[in-house]
């Protein structure tokens, strides 16, 4: 993703490795020889904000970068994702999969 590429570039510039969190994993604790990490969170849940902010406040060397997607693009992306039937549990559909389903509208049908 664009966010991951930017996070990797920012982390590399500060001499830190990137650790990616995809769901509510606990923070990875590091100390030399592994060195400091950049913590890249795909999504932060409201109940985890205090924990991450407390972690951020522990050191004056910690920084926070917050990426926000354009709301219109996010809505369109969510619509297309669910329109494809990518979440079978939600759509109760078995007609297509995330990788194989195409939208008829995209082909003028």
């Amino acid at each position: 993703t664009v966010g991951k590429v930017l996070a990797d570039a920012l982390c590399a510039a500060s001499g830190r490795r990137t650790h990616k969190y995809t769901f509510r994993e606990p923070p990875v604790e590091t100390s030399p020889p592994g060195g400091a990490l950049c913590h890249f969170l795909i999504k932060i849940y409201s109940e985890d904000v205090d924990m991450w902010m407390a972690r951020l406040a522990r050191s004056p060397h910690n920084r926070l970068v917050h990426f926000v997607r354009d709301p219109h693009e996010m809505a369109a992306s969510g619509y297309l994702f669910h329109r494809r039937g990518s979440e079978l549990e939600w759509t109760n559909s078995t007609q297509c999969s995330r990788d194989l389903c195409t939208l008829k509208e995209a082909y003028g049908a």
Side-chain angles (χ1 to χ4, degrees), residues 2-54:
V2 173
K4 178 73 166 77
V5 171
L6 287 170
D8 286 342
L10 289 169
C11 293
S14 66
R16 295 177 178 207
R17 296 174 294 117
T18 305
H19 183 80
K20 179 179 171 183
Y21 300 87
T22 56
F23 191 63
R24 302 180 63 201
E25 301 97 336
V28 172
E29 298 293 336
T30 60
S31 59
L37 284 176
C38 283
H39 301 274
F40 179 69
L41 287 77
I42 300 297
K43 178 178 180 179
I44 189 164
Y45 292 82
S46 59
E47 54 269 27
D48 297 333
V49 169
D50 290 339
M51 175 195 63
W52 281 101
M53 293 307 286

